[in-house]
Each structure stands twice: as C-alpha cells, then as structure tokens.
Amino acid sequence: MMGCWILNESLSIILVLSWLGVNLYLFIDTFCWYEEEESFLYTRVILGSTLAWARASAVCLNFNCMLILLPISRNLLSLMRGTSSCFRGPWRRQLDKNLKFHKLVAYGIAMNATIHILAHLCNLEYYHWSQSPEAEGLVAALSKLGDTPDETYLNPIRTFHTNTIAELLRTVAGITGLLISLALILIMTSSTEFIRQASYELFWCTHHVFIIFFIGLAIHGAGRIVRGQTAESLLLHNVTFCREHLAEWQTAARCPVPQFSGKEPSAWKWVLGPVVLYACERIIRFWRFQQQVVITKVVSHPSGVLELHMKKRDFKMAPGQYILIQCPSISSLEWHPFTLTSAPQEDFFSVHIRAAGDWTEALCKAFGAEGQALKEPWSLPRLAVDGPFGAALTDVFHYPVSMCIATGIGVTPFAALLKSIWYQCCESQTQWKLSKVYFYWICREPGAFEWFADLLLSLETRMSEQGKTHFLSYHIFLTGWDENQAFHIALHWDENTDVITGLRQKTFYGRPNWNHEFRQVAYSHPSSNIGVFFCGPKALSKIIQRMCRLYSSADPRGIHFHYNRESF
C-alpha cells in the first residue's frame, strides 16, 4: 500500500540522481579532457593527474554555483507554482523541497571546493619541486622556460627558494581563492540549525557573504596560473615528437620553443544568468520593502499570540500563502516568515505571531502584547512586508478530500483556508472539487483554542445553515491540563457544547491514534486521492508521513494519501 509514496519519493530520487548524474558527467568528461588534451601535455608532465582533478572539480563547482541561488528565489518559485502547467501533482510538491535541494547543492559546492583546493595545493608542491636541483630532463626544462624575453613561462614558481604560499597570495587567483574559501567556511558553519536558532542575525549576515563569494568566483580564473600550450604553438611545435627530442628544441625547425598562456576564465559564464535573476529577485523585495504597510488592528490572544491586521496597496493573496515581515526598529536585517490567516475575500491581511524567540518576543513587546495596554495603530512601529509567496497548502482545493493537521501555532496556515471556505459557503453557486475536509488540531493549553474556536464556531454555524455539515469534520485534541480543569471538564461533559471550545464537537483529551484516524478516512473514501497537509514539528511529521505511506494503495485505482508539509 505504498504506491503514492513511491511515486512522490521516486520523483525526488529522480531529481537527486539527475543532479548527481550531471555532476558525475561533468567531472568525468572534464577529467578525461585534461588527461588527453595535447595543449596540456607539458602541464601534465609537471603536475600529473592533479591538473585534471583541479579542473574537473572546478567545472562541477561552477555548475553547483549556478544552481545554488535558484531554490531561494521565492518569487520565481511562486511564479512556477502559480502559472506553469508543468508543475502539477507530484511535480508541484517537489517545489516544497526547495530548501532541501539548496542544502544538497551547498554540500556539492563544499565537496568540489575541497577537492579543488587540495588538488591545487598539490599542484603548488609539484611546481615548487620542479624547480629543485633534483628535477631533471623535460620537467626541469619546462620549468626554466620564461627566463628569456622571447619565452613564455609554464611554471608560475620561478625559483626553488620562492615561498609558494606568499607567491600565491600575490596573485589574483590566490587572493580570490582565499576569499572564496573563507566565505564558504563562514556560510557553511553559520548555517547549522544550532546557530540559526541561537542567533538568526549571525546566520543572516554570514549568509550574505555569498556576494563576496560570487564576486571572487567570477574573477578567480583571471590570474590564469594554470597554463597550457597556445594553439599557434601547437601548429609549430609537435608535442608528440618534440617531448622525446628535448635537445633539438632550439635547433630543429620542428621543435621551436613552446609558448604557453592561461585558459580563459569561465566561471562568470556559469553564474551570470542566476545572479542576474537573483538580483531581480532582490530588487522586487526592496521595492516591496519600500511600500507602506498600514496596521489597522492589533489583538493580543492568550498563550502569547499576537494578531496583526494590515493593509497594503495591490496586495493579493490565496489561502495558504505566507509573507515575510521585517520590523526595522527591532532589526534592520531580519525577515521572518508567517502564514497569512486572513481569507482573500477580506479587505485586510492578517498574521498570528507566537512569542517563541528573541525577535518575536521583541515584536510582541513593541506592540504591547505582554500584559501592557495595546497601542493605537498610529503609534505602532513600522513593519515591512514581502510577499505573498506560495506554499504547500495552496494545493488543498485541488483534492476531493483533504486532511489538515496542525499542532499549536501551526494552525495558522489553516485559518485562511477555513475562512475562505466560510466565505465561499456564503456563495451558494460555488462549485468545488474539494468535497470533504478533515481538520485535526493538537494543542497543549486550553487558552490557545480561544482565538481559533470563534472561527470554527462561525464556520460550524454557516455549514449547518447551508446544509453542509458533512463538509467539515474537525477533531481538536488537548494534550495538557491540570486537576482543576479535569474536574471542570468532567462536571460539564454532558452539556451540548464543549466546555473548552464552545463547539458542538467535543474536544478529545490526549494524543490522536493516527492509525485509527487514517484507517477511518481510508474506509470512508476508497479509490480517492487525499491531500494530507501538515504544519508542526519534525517528529510528528515523520509519523504522518509514515501513515501516508502505510495507508496508500499500490493499485493506481486505489486510495492514495499525498503528503504535503508547510516549510519556509
């Protein structure tokens, strides 16, 4: 019963294998070319196979640097998600794995950069050794070329007593190589989850060292340290014959002294397109940053949740999308993603923010949400908004049946969905592909239900009035309570409405039995495609994903659970 999961995972594996295949092809093709190319025969005499290792890893490095910016171009991904007919079904779900692909490409860059650095360190040693008294024959002769005005050098290390590191750092390739390496180390080390959570500003600042990385990469090859024989020299100097007749180089017409030059830099050609595309992305973001955001309402909810209502010119959204928010008075660098909790039919857009870190705590305090008197909208700090951007939940209406699962504040993505359903219920002519929604919310504290219960209550009432009580089935689970609450719950259990939420549907106490829930849904909807949308912690995400695999049929005509997780 794993057909659906196999299809989704197969596409992911195909994409990863395609990426690996291109890397492998580029590496092997470039390696073989430098091992066989006549113009680099004399270079190989000095350097051996480390020349091919350095150049092959450089090409793979360029390829991955071309890809690294694409998965983080949010506007590009939103455009692909919203307009392209190529990205439907399983292919569309691959867009939600953009950050995983970004990290995968980053590992590719790190690995190829390491190979490139090690190979060139070996090359430096070979260049240095070839100037030593122990070097003789063709190696020594090639290293001495360039001492007279009519010759061009092959070996950049001119004497045996030269300090190779100091000499390297006097060149464009050496300086840019050092800058690129330091930038890469900073970016990779500050990208760990521990540092991101401990200091987002550190992560943000060091990640933007990528500008130095790409500038250094573009001009790195301009030094042309690794040199090969020129095309004109190859016509006059037959390497196959002349390498065996070293003594005749100065006398024989067939063996004039070979001439050498560096290869044209090519890294900029690889990265120019993506860099221009990403520059456009940042220009769009800056333009949005400059647009005025009007805060129309501020609401402080229990459990440290702040609700903000905002307006912005020409702002259009769809259920499930998210925005990035910056508060310059808190940090001029940090942008944080928040799912929109308003419906497209409303004349404002809203977010719910839980105080769960330094930045969100500072924001709640700035808006007077920590037991202080709420401020008037005109006295509130300025906010900048970028977006909206597409996310997995925007596909919820594309399935006949959808399961929406949230934990704690993870319920916010589904607020916009349920509000949109409420508005569309008011329009009796609305025709949906979606015919059933199962909504699950797992929360620790009873107070957290307050702001969301009002929405569920109004939706419950509207569904009843429209004769669509079957459309929405919601299951609320409370996982934490004290003795007083337990006594109060037991005392009022027989009442028509739930004592916690005020809804007709009773609250469940404890954690859901996911085997039971999925089995019931599978029994009720045989031969259906069911979208499963989740927002919550990784541990529960793995459980839900496993349930989707377990209860999906291997038969294409059977039931299939399509897993989608909210990620920014």
Side-chain angles (χ1 to χ4, degrees):
M1 300 179 67
M2 300 173 67
C4 169
W5 174 82
I6 290 174
L7 175 61
N8 292 329
E9 291 302 308
S10 295
L11 288 177
S12 298
I13 293 170
I14 287 170
L15 291 174
V16 172
L17 290 179
S18 298
W19 172 77
L20 286 171
V22 173
N23 273 282
L24 193 61
Y25 167 77
L26 289 173
F27 192 94
I28 294 173
D29 182 65
T30 307
F31 189 95
C32 293
W33 191 86
Y34 276 94
E35 283 285 274
E36 299 169 0
E37 173 59 27
E38 273 195 340
S39 61
F40 285 94
L41 188 146
Y42 287 142
T43 315
R44 291 195 298 272
V45 168
I46 298 176
L47 302 181
S49 291
T50 54
L51 168 67
W53 280 98
R55 298 310 303 161
S57 57
V59 171
C60 290
L61 183 62
N62 292 339
F63 170 67
N64 285 285
C65 288
M66 178 185 74
L67 297 178
I68 192 71
L69 294 176
L70 298 178
I72 55 172
S73 299
R74 292 189 180 93
N75 289 291
L76 174 64
L77 294 178
S78 292
L79 181 67
M80 292 167 68
R81 179 187 293 277
T83 61
S84 178
S85 59
C86 298
F87 291 92
R88 291 289 183 265
W91 285 107
R92 185 162 176 160
R93 282 189 289 280
Q94 302 309 310
L95 295 177
D96 300 324
K97 301 178 181 179
N98 59 316
L99 292 183
K100 287 185 178 180
F101 184 67
H102 177 72
K103 293 174 185 177
L104 181 66
V105 173
Y107 290 134
I109 289 174
M111 184 182 69
N112 284 293
T114 302
I115 295 172
H116 187 72
I117 292 167
L118 292 175
H120 271 316
L121 288 175
C122 293
N123 288 337
L124 273 179
E125 285 303 308
Y126 285 132
Y127 277 136
H128 185 244
W129 178 85
S130 65
Q131 293 285 14
S132 69
E134 288 84 8
E136 57 186 18
L138 185 56
V139 173
L142 290 170
S143 293
K144 300 303 179 188
L145 290 176
D147 290 341
T148 60
D150 60 335
E151 296 176 351
T152 54
Y153 72 89
L154 176 60
N155 189 341
I157 306 299
R158 301 311 302 149
T159 67
F160 180 66
H161 302 289
T162 301
N163 184 319
T164 53
I165 301 299
E167 184 67 23
L168 179 66
L169 293 178
R170 292 192 188 100
T171 65
V172 173
I175 294 170
T176 56
L178 180 62
L179 285 174
I180 291 169
S181 301
L182 291 176
L184 186 60
I185 291 169
L186 275 174
I187 291 170
M188 295 291 289
T189 53
S190 66
S191 298
T192 59
E193 188 171 352
F194 172 77
I195 291 179
R196 285 203 316 272
Q197 293 180 351
S199 177
Y200 184 86
E201 281 206 7
L202 177 62
F203 161 74
W204 193 95
C205 290
T206 52
H207 232 62
H208 279 70
V209 176
F210 84 91
I211 298 170
I212 296 173
F213 177 89
F214 275 95
I215 292 172
L217 184 71
I219 61 177
H220 179 63
R224 305 188 185 189
I225 287 183
V226 176
R227 298 160 72 85
Q229 197 171 348
T230 64
E232 295 80 4
S233 177
L234 279 172
L235 295 174
L236 302 172
H237 182 101
N238 188 315
V239 291
T240 307
F241 173 80
C242 296
R243 66 177 298 182
E244 306 294 339
H245 300 82
L246 179 60
E248 302 178 21
W249 279 17
Q250 298 290 348
T251 56
R254 293 181 61 185
C255 295
V257 175
Q259 302 297 316
F260 301 93
S261 66
K263 199 170 183 294
E264 285 280 343
S266 60
W268 67 271
K269 299 176 183 177
W270 287 87
V271 301
L272 180 61
V275 165
V276 169
L277 186 67
Y278 189 72
C280 294
E281 170 90 8
R282 296 311 289 257
I283 290 169
I284 293 171
R285 290 189 196 179
F286 181 75
W287 172 67
R288 287 175 174 167
F289 169 78
Q290 297 296 325
Q291 291 181 308
Q292 183 183 13
V293 175
V294 179
I295 301 168
T296 59
K297 187 178 180 181
V298 179
V299 182
S300 180
H301 294 287
S303 303
V305 175
L306 176 70
E307 180 180 356
L308 297 177
H309 290 204
M310 295 166 280
K311 288 185 178 182
K312 186 178 178 182
R313 185 178 179 183
D314 298 327
F315 187 91
K316 296 178 181 179
M317 59 159 289
Q321 290 187 316
Y322 69 95
I323 58 174
L324 295 173
I325 293 180
Q326 184 199 75
C327 184
S329 63
I330 297 175
S331 171
S332 59
L333 301 178
E334 295 188 44
W335 290 84
H336 291 263
F338 296 98
T339 307
L340 291 163
T341 55
S342 52
Q345 293 86 349
E346 293 175 308
D347 63 351
F348 62 89
F349 62 95
S350 65
V351 293
H352 285 69
I353 300 169
R354 180 168 61 93
D358 293 341
W359 189 89
T360 50
E361 287 176 1
L363 186 72
C364 290
K365 186 176 181 180
F367 281 83
E370 293 188 342
Q372 309 169 23
L374 292 176
K375 300 179 180 180
E376 293 296 327
W378 57 266
S379 65
L380 297 172
R382 176 179 178 265
L383 292 181
V385 171
D386 186 19
F389 302 106
L393 190 59
T394 56
D395 294 338
V396 73
F397 289 103
H398 296 168
Y399 295 94
V401 180
S402 288
M403 294 177 67
C404 300
I405 304 168
T407 61
I409 197 64
V411 74
T412 54
F414 305 107
L417 166 68
L418 295 177
K419 282 184 180 181
S420 184
I421 290 173
W422 187 90
Y423 279 103
Q424 292 184 55
C425 276
C426 297
E427 303 171 8
S428 57
Q429 302 302 318
T430 303
Q431 296 294 323
W432 293 333
K433 180 179 180 179
L434 182 64
S435 60
K436 181 71 175 180
V437 174
Y438 291 91
F439 175 67
Y440 300 85
W441 189 16
I442 304 100
C443 208
R444 291 180 183 177
E445 302 171 2
F449 294 118
E450 181 185 297
W451 69 271
F452 202 72
D454 291 340
L455 172 60
L456 286 175
L457 182 60
S458 61
L459 187 60
E460 186 179 64
T461 305
R462 174 61 63 178
M463 291 291 181
S464 178
E465 291 172 354
Q466 295 286 333
K468 296 180 179 179
T469 53
H470 66 282
F471 180 82
L472 176 65
S473 175
Y474 53 89
H475 309 266
I476 298 176
F477 294 84
L478 181 63
T479 59
W481 61 87
D482 57 32
E483 290 183 6
N484 291 332
Q485 289 170 338
F487 178 76
H488 185 63
I489 291 165
L491 187 64
H492 296 275
W493 182 255
D494 293 330
E495 295 183 5
N496 292 331
T497 58
D498 185 70
V499 66
I500 298 292
T501 63
L503 299 169
R504 284 195 289 270
Q505 172 68 53
K506 297 289 186 178
T507 298
F508 297 93
Y509 299 93
R511 301 184 183 279
N513 181 337
W514 291 114
N515 269 304
H516 172 75
E517 299 298 335
F518 273 81
R519 191 182 301 114
Q520 285 291 103
V521 173
Y523 178 79
S524 301
H525 305 278
S527 305
S528 293
N529 284 318
I530 299 175
V532 179
F533 299 86
F534 174 77
C535 187
K538 290 182 180 178
L540 184 54
S541 173
K542 291 179 180 178
I543 294 173
I544 301 300
Q545 201 167 7
R546 188 168 68 247
M547 292 295 106
C548 290
R549 293 198 298 266
L550 181 63
Y551 287 96
S552 290
S553 173
D555 185 350
R557 297 167 296 180
I559 189 170
H560 298 97
F561 289 89
H562 301 272
Y563 181 75
N564 302 268
R565 185 188 179 192
E566 285 291 297
S567 59
F568 306 115

